[in-house]
Amino acid sequence: MIKLALACALWAAPAVAQIRNPAVAGQFYPADAKELGRAVDSYLAKAPAPAKLPGPIVALVVPHAGYEFSAPVAAHAYKAVSGAYDTVVVIGAAHTAAVAGAALYAKGAFATPLGPVPVDEELAARLLQDSDLFQDDPRAHSREHSVEVQLPFLIKRLKPGWKLLPLIMNTEDPATSFRIGQALARELKGRKALLVASSDLSHYPPAELADRVDRSTLKALERLDPQFFWLSNRIMLAKGIPGLSTTWCGEAAVLAALTAAKSLGADQSVLLRYANSGTSPHGDQSRTVGYAAMALLRSGQPPANEIILDAGQRKNLLTLTRDTLKAGLAGRKPAPELAADPVLNLPSAVFVTLTEAGRLRGC
């Protein structure tokens, strides 16, 4: 009873009938309110405040692993937000249940050691009525951690009074993710809302390869083009990179959040922090998971979608072209390369001219 009183004193919320109890308290983060509060405060204190951002934040991309691994990265994202919101939409990966579209926890509250977070029941009801892509599925949330681990940071950073819209997804159909994002944007227009996409990055390449994979897909995400981001992940997975089983475990969540954020005016992105589990004192350099903190902003400026190559990148691309032609002429299939430069791993068209003794021979 003493612990409950302390938790409610930390963050007051209305009494509700249906409570979703924590699934990973004591495993992914401390279960004790005082210990958890100190831990989150420490992570936030160590994360530097970001430089002045070019516009208000529409959405965050944050990791969701155990705090010892991912919280130092997530704190960089949460350090960038504060103030009052009506609703926080947390879209996470569904790790423990198959979900056709998006599974909502539509009523009640999420309990945390820092106090309960009420669900935005009115918004959930509107989404359930608006589209059959949303299902009220408390069971899918019962053992899922991807939404839960974000709540202590949100409680610490935002003014009390906000409500939570918790969604989890694992569809492999990008069109479904796009439609879910569009439906969210329709309902969020005119609200003081924050979108949070909860996803880790690559699983489980060695640290050096993880860095190359993750920085490439993050570079793709920076363009704020959901289709381009999805295609970049497919190309990366086709390269046969040792140990790589997925590029983003919450890809569907990121696609939905990105689609919604663009409809709500996001036009710029800022990568706030990247790391992988190999950098943790308890990490394994031979088998890592990537983590990133990114902010999607409304700057009022047109997004930079064109890839401009510098002299070094053009030289590397020319070398790759020559090696590919040599392999083809020798009857060998060139092995897909994972370039050290993330830009050179992105999908793009390249026009090549072939000359011999200064004379054009082909294109």
Side-chain angles (χ1 to χ4, degrees), residues 292-310:
M294 181 178 280
L296 310 185
L297 316 165
R298 188 188 302 111
S299 71
Q301 301 296 319
N305 286 330
E306 186 177 0
I307 298 175
I308 305 297
L309 301 179
D310 61 27

Side-chain angles (χ1 to χ4, degrees), residues 321-357:
T321 301
R322 286 171 173 156
D323 290 344
T324 301
L325 288 170
K326 289 176 182 177
L329 291 171
R332 293 183 286 107
K333 183 178 181 181
E337 295 285 341
L338 180 61
D341 186 339
V343 171
L344 299 183
N345 293 321
L346 300 181
S348 187
V350 177
F351 185 83
V352 178
T353 57
L354 306 178
T355 60
E356 184 176 19

Side-chain angles (χ1 to χ4, degrees), residues 19 45 52 66 68 72 82 135 137 140 144 152 155 224 242 246 264 267 270 297 300 304 314 332 337 349:
I19 296 290
K52 183 175 175 58
E68 65 180 299
S82 61
Q135 300 89 37
D137 191 352
E144 179 54 56
I155 289 171
L224 303 187
T246 189
L264 294 170
D267 51 28
V270 176
L297 316 165
R314 293 197 297 270
R332 293 183 286 107
E337 295 285 341

Side-chain angles (χ1 to χ4, degrees), residues 89-116:
V89 180
V90 182
I91 315 175
H95 294 90
T96 64
V99 177
L104 274 165
Y105 194 96
K107 294 181 180 179
F110 270 52
T112 83
L114 303 183

Side-chain angles (χ1 to χ4, degrees), residues 70-103:
S70 69
V73 175
H76 283 72
Y78 289 115
K79 194 69 171 276
V81 295
S82 61
Y85 287 89
D86 300 326
T87 303
V88 179
V89 180
V90 182
I91 315 175
H95 294 90
T96 64
V99 177

Side-chain angles (χ1 to χ4, degrees), residues 163-218:
K163 293 182 178 181
L164 171 69
L165 184 75
L167 297 167
I168 54 175
M169 301 173 59
N170 56 19
T171 178
E172 295 184 2
D173 176 22
T176 298
S177 295
F178 301 157
R179 291 172 58 204
I180 288 170
Q182 291 161 359
L184 284 170
R186 286 194 298 271
E187 296 298 340
L188 293 176
K189 282 183 179 176
R191 295 174 182 255
K192 179 67 172 173
L194 174 68
L195 286 157
V196 177
S198 176
S199 178
D200 295 339
L201 280 72
S202 63
H203 297 45
Y204 300 95
E208 182 181 357
L209 293 179
D211 187 83
R212 292 190 181 190
V213 170
D214 293 337
R215 292 193 183 278
S216 298
T217 60
L218 284 166

